[in-house]
Amino acid sequence: MSKRIAKELSDCTTSPPPGISITLPSDSDLHKWHVTLTPSPTSIYAGGTFGLVVTLPPDFPFRAPHIVFSTRIYHPNVTNDAAGNICLGLLKDENWKPGSRLRGVLEAVRGLLDEPNPDDPLEPRIADEFRREREVFDKNARAHVVSYAKGKPSFVVAAPAPAASGKEGKGGKA
Amino acid sequence: MDSDEDFMSAVSSEDDILPDDSENEDMSGGEDFDDFDEPDPDLGISKDFGQRKRVAYDIPFQVYKPADIQKQQDELVNEVNMILDIPKGEAAILLRHFRWNKERLIEDYMDRPRQVLEASGLALEPASLPKLEVLPGFMCDICCEDGDGLESFAIKCGHRYCVDCYRHYLAQKIKEEGEAARIQCPSGGCNLIIDARSLDLLVTPELTARYHELLNRTYVEDKDTLKWCPAPDCPNAIECGVKKKDLDKVVPTVSCLCEHRFCFGCILNDHQPAPCELVKRWLKKCADDSETANWISANTKECPRCGSTIEKNGGCNHMTCRKCKHEFCWMCMGLWSEHGTSWYNCNRFEEKSGLDARDAQAKSRVSLDRYLHYYNRYANHEQSARLDKNLSQKTEKKMVQLQKESGMSWIEVQYLNAASQALQTCRTTLMWTYAFAFYLARNNLTEIFEDNQKDLEMAVENLSAMFERPVTELADSKLKVELMDKTSYCNKRRIILLEDTAQNLADGRWTFNVELTGSAASSGPSNRA
């Protein structure tokens, strides 16, 4: 499937989607991407630069890519820690389709910075704040941008992305 | 439903129910489904309480073998195929989408065919047979291969992928995710469901078997009135009209052709006369550590200063905490220094904190004693039932031996088997009467219940004792008659007890120490019980 990955990569680098630029940490490994994400100017996170680490499982595209924020972000759908896990329906294994494109996925992640989805939160407290006290949320989000998302993003994540072994038996229904 | 009479004739001898194909069509109509907000059509349960006082503990049910299940599905598909003039493959998809509610499908389809087809993942054009194609200049969007002669496939949405990728995708869905009826097109955001004929074309033979097995499963799993027999490797399903909300009124024990007896409400082994909710609580109570905690609170006290748990191991009431060296009186928990020299006669007995501590301890002790009373009897019957089971495995040997020694025929020695069966069933019933009794609040009916329980227990113990005698004695014709009498007496006592408890349960005459209409009467997620 390296052909597919190569194509996706060239798609995303020759005409990159807005606010997204991709580098490979190792030229020999197409399965690990470093993505630098610049939020849209209207986003509350505008002014920051965010690092994403994309890990493609060995049986990609039949399994979903694994994407985490390597830059701390104050967001209802991203864990507020160094692991930076993202809650995005598209990235869940049961919703993933082999026909989905990484380009679309990255755009969706960027879209989360414009429109957080408090109904499906990873951080219930932040989601609650987003809904009820938007000013406080905005202030906190901006403060996080100032503290963590200035300058060149780092691509170090706390917990390594699970090496998608892909063979988790779901045979419980047998 | 019009088949109450048929059901009744079936349940009158629960050990030899055979599926009656002529009744199968009766089952196809009238069921309700959770996701359609309709009032529950009554499958005859509450009606039965009025009509069938004689067997209130026995509920109507029907066992289906895999062939029956397949036949029912085929019949429904054929009907829809004829009525709506839809190809069978699509009729099946529509039926699955409507969770096998044929009436609703037909009604909805008549009203707005377009929406129905779209919602269930069927596009509009009449189906042309699916086929693999080689298209010039085709590149698969999944693997990005574009070689000449690359075979490709697309369902009606036109999202085309190479056959290898399609197969990989399907294998993953069918084998690993156990999906069958609702596999969507591999394209992101396309919800079109891959129809059965396309699957037949694409999947490898060994996967087709699995696929059809999964489709059969959805038929049973989609219907609230159908459940798989939980016995290992048993392929049968059981139909029963008892609803979750009825489970505080009835204990729906059913029995499969494989002889496994289980509760249709919670899938656990037969637990009559105790209702599902009580069983659930009882098992949890027996499994978790709450009784350890009770023991601790009944037999130990905490050091008034540091809180360490102390078990008194000698007669002296002058306690010195090992940990903090606090000295206190075990009787009143007060400071030892205040006791002066009158330590042998605690003079602060009336002090309030001491009083409270003693009250709590006494209460805990009573509740523990009560629990242990019922638990010991429950556990005892559980163990005996297990031993009786071992015995029954030896029964066959016994029967052969008896045949040899007495010259009786195989039919003639069946009474041993009957006795063994009776012992096991009655023990199981007895076991659950103790869990039932633990939660039962005293009223004027409990005495009758306890008498019934006692009578059954005595009958069982008598039979049990007799059953263990050496074969040579059992061959005696007088003993044989006696054993048969005792067996039938046991069964009779069991039925009397079950009838009484079931009738009172149906009439709501029992009062329990716990809420029976609790939040979790069964294992199902959407609980209305």
Side-chain angles (χ1 to χ4, degrees):
Chain A
M1 287 296 167
S2 57
K3 233 177 171 171
R4 155 81 183 254
I5 298 175
K7 185 159 186 302
E8 293 248 25
L9 187 63
S10 80
D11 252 14
C12 293
T13 44
T14 48
S15 62
I20 285 169
S21 77
I22 292 160
T23 53
L24 289 189
S26 150
D27 285 339
S28 60
D29 184 6
L30 289 174
H31 287 261
K32 197 141 213 138
W33 297 11
H34 285 173
V35 179
T36 307
L37 187 70
T38 319
S40 77
T42 51
S43 165
I44 189 75
Y45 304 97
T49 316
F50 296 87
L52 296 176
V53 174
V54 178
T55 313
L56 305 178
D59 45 356
F60 179 84
F62 292 99
R63 287 196 197 274
H66 184 261
I67 304 184
V68 295
F69 272 89
S70 53
T71 306
R72 290 275 298 249
I73 182 167
Y74 193 82
H75 192 288
N77 310 105
V78 183
T79 54
N80 192 19
D81 56 21
N85 288 308
I86 306 173
C87 178
L88 184 64
L90 206 58
L91 290 176
K92 289 181 184 154
D93 263 328
E94 62 269 27
N95 298 335
W96 174 257
K97 295 284 196 73
S100 310
R101 318 297 298 188
L102 273 171
R103 185 189 183 89
V105 173
L106 292 174
E107 280 167 351
V109 173
R110 187 165 181 260
L112 267 186
L113 301 193
D114 277 311
E115 275 179 51
N117 174 14
D119 295 329
D120 195 8
L122 260 186
E123 293 285 351
R125 192 196 61 74
I126 298 180
D128 213 44
E129 191 179 273
F130 178 82
R131 263 194 297 244
R132 292 166 200 231
E133 306 170 273
R134 184 63 67 85
E135 309 82 56
V136 182
F137 168 82
D138 286 357
K139 213 179 107 206
N140 282 332
R142 279 198 210 96
H144 264 68
V145 170
V146 172
S147 317
Y148 297 105
K150 291 293 179 190
K152 261 187 117 173
S154 114
F155 292 102
V156 181
V157 280
S165 61
K167 286 280 178 248
E168 286 157 59
K170 282 189 185 169
K173 294 167 199 163
Chain B
M1 290 307 284
D2 53 2
S3 53
D4 285 353
E5 293 305 317
D6 300 326
F7 275 134
M8 283 168 67
S9 62
V11 293
S12 60
S13 57
E14 53 178 281
D15 288 324
D16 50 19
I17 296 163
L18 291 167
D20 180 356
D21 286 344
S22 67
E23 278 179 30
N24 290 354
E25 288 117 295
D26 293 339
M27 306 307 167
S28 57
E31 292 91 334
D32 69 320
F33 299 96
D34 279 337
D35 56 349
F36 298 115
D37 288 322
E38 272 187 344
D40 297 339
D42 203 310
L43 267 170
I45 274 310
S46 48
K47 230 182 345 192
D48 286 343
F49 288 141
Q51 286 174 1
R52 308 192 307 123
K53 283 209 160 62
R54 203 171 51 81
V55 281
Y57 68 94
D58 215 341
I59 51 119
F61 65 91
Q62 178 95 5
V63 185
Y64 295 124
K65 291 178 182 170
D68 304 325
I69 301 166
Q70 187 60 51
K71 197 171 154 223
Q72 288 180 36
Q73 296 190 48
D74 292 347
E75 278 166 2
L76 280 173
V77 169
N78 287 343
E79 268 181 77
V80 172
N81 160 247
M82 283 188 320
I83 296 171
L84 298 181
D85 195 21
I86 298 175
K88 287 186 186 175
E90 302 192 0
I93 293 179
L94 285 174
L95 275 165
R96 275 178 219 119
H97 180 72
F98 279 83
R99 301 189 70 193
W100 298 93
N101 189 336
K102 183 190 72 187
E103 280 75 22
R104 180 161 288 261
L105 161 62
I106 292 172
E107 206 175 289
D108 278 19
Y109 188 83
M110 298 290 198
D111 286 352
R112 38 196 171 89
R114 202 193 158 81
Q115 284 96 319
V116 167
L117 285 175
E118 266 170 17
S120 50
L122 292 168
L124 286 171
E125 307 81 58
S128 50
L129 283 176
K131 57 178 182 292
L132 303 181
E133 285 179 87
V134 180
L135 298 179
F138 166 76
M139 189 197 73
C140 172
D141 265 349
I142 293 178
C143 60
C144 298
E145 298 291 341
D146 57 359
D148 286 339
L150 189 64
E151 280 192 308
S152 67
F153 183 79
I155 46 173
K156 289 174 195 161
C157 54
H159 297 117
R160 185 165 288 278
Y161 301 100
C162 80
V163 104
D164 283 349
C165 286
Y166 234 112
R167 289 203 166 119
H168 189 135
Y169 173 69
L170 293 177
Q172 179 182 322
K173 289 283 171 197
I174 293 170
K175 245 161 81 187
E176 291 170 33
E177 296 172 30
E179 250 190 76
R182 297 176 183 94
I183 305 178
Q184 298 177 344
C185 163
S187 172
C190 179
N191 298 329
L192 200 68
I193 289 168
I194 303 172
D195 60 284
R197 267 171 307 163
S198 300
L199 279 158
D200 287 343
L201 175 73
L202 287 168
V203 298
T204 46
E206 124 256 356
L207 228 47
T208 320
R210 174 77 177 142
Y211 169 70
H212 284 292
E213 193 188 323
L214 288 168
L215 286 188
N216 263 349
R217 278 174 191 279
T218 64
Y219 177 73
V220 172
E221 282 153 18
D222 276 353
K223 291 192 146 201
D224 290 342
T225 51
L226 280 177
K227 272 177 189 158
W228 295 110
C229 169
D233 293 330
C234 177
N236 299 335
I238 297 208
E239 171 154 37
C240 172
V242 172
K243 301 254 164 31
K244 277 177 192 160
K245 63 172 164 31
D246 300 324
L247 290 179
D248 57 340
K249 290 262 179 286
V250 63
V251 187
T253 296
V254 296
S255 136
C256 183
L257 294 175
C258 72
E259 298 197 337
H260 182 60
R261 291 166 53 81
F262 67 98
C263 168
F264 192 80
C266 62
I267 311 297
L268 294 173
N269 290 355
D270 172 29
H271 55 67
Q272 279 175 338
C276 296
E277 174 68 14
L278 293 188
V279 168
K280 207 179 147 228
R281 283 171 186 261
W282 175 258
L283 291 177
K284 183 166 185 296
K285 188 172 179 63
C286 297
D288 70 17
D289 276 342
S290 65
E291 294 316 314
T292 312
N294 268 356
W295 184 90
I296 289 172
S297 90
N299 296 287
T300 68
K301 292 178 178 182
E302 275 81 49
C303 164
R305 189 202 271 169
C306 72
S308 303
T309 305
I310 296 166
E311 182 189 0
K312 193 165 175 313
N313 62 354
C316 177
N317 285 329
H318 180 177
M319 307 300 291
T320 305
C321 174
R322 283 271 185 93
K323 218 166 171 186
C324 68
K325 310 286 177 220
H326 180 64
E327 291 179 53
F328 63 98
C329 167
W330 181 258
M331 292 295 283
C332 71
M333 304 302 283
L335 267 181
W336 187 256
S337 56
E338 289 173 13
H339 279 58
T341 51
S342 58
W343 54 271
Y344 48 87
N345 183 12
C346 177
N347 59 355
R348 298 185 63 196
F349 198 78
E350 299 309 321
E351 203 250 330
K352 189 168 178 316
S353 67
L355 209 64
D356 288 349
R358 283 189 300 276
D359 266 6
Q361 195 185 2
K363 252 188 211 153
S364 166
R365 200 178 290 262
V366 168
S367 114
L368 179 66
D369 282 351
R370 183 166 185 279
Y371 169 73
L372 288 178
H373 170 90
Y374 290 112
Y375 179 75
N376 285 335
R377 282 154 185 80
Y378 167 88
N380 183 41
H381 282 298
E382 189 182 35
Q383 194 195 16
S384 298
R386 229 183 357 251
L387 294 175
D388 283 344
K389 199 166 187 175
N390 290 344
L391 209 58
S392 89
Q393 280 154 5
K394 287 183 206 144
T395 310
E396 201 164 310
K397 228 194 273 167
K398 238 179 177 176
M399 284 158 69
V400 173
Q401 195 187 344
L402 188 56
Q403 254 182 300
K404 272 190 205 141
E405 284 172 20
S406 65
M408 282 192 267
S409 74
W410 180 248
I411 302 289
E412 279 174 307
V413 294
Q414 282 303 316
Y415 69 96
L416 278 184
N417 191 31
S420 150
Q421 292 295 330
L423 274 178
Q424 281 175 66
T425 352
C426 292
R427 288 241 190 246
T428 310
T429 304
L430 269 176
M431 173 179 124
W432 286 111
T433 59
Y434 282 106
F436 182 74
F438 176 73
Y439 292 108
L440 203 56
R442 237 167 217 294
N443 64 19
N444 48 1
L445 292 170
T446 44
E447 219 162 289
I448 300 173
F449 167 75
E450 279 163 2
D451 281 349
N452 282 333
Q453 189 184 34
K454 190 183 72 193
D455 288 346
L456 176 60
E457 198 157 51
M458 273 164 59
V460 165
E461 296 306 342
N462 278 336
L463 178 62
S464 191
M466 198 168 171
F467 190 66
E468 281 173 28
R469 292 216 206 159
V471 173
T472 41
E473 284 181 42
L474 288 177
D476 180 72
S477 66
K478 229 175 96 196
L479 266 182
K480 173 182 171 181
V481 172
E482 206 182 318
L483 192 74
M484 284 165 81
D485 284 350
K486 282 191 158 52
T487 303
S488 90
Y489 181 66
C490 263
N491 287 332
K492 218 179 279 165
R493 291 301 341 167
R494 173 173 169 267
I495 283 167
I496 289 170
L497 185 142
L498 287 182
E499 263 176 18
D500 176 65
T501 46
Q503 194 58 55
N504 287 328
L505 187 68
D507 298 342
R509 281 199 290 255
W510 297 119
T511 34
F512 296 103
N513 303 326
V514 294
E515 196 59 45
L516 202 55
T517 49
S519 59
S522 104
S523 52
S526 61
N527 202 306
R528 296 175 295 165

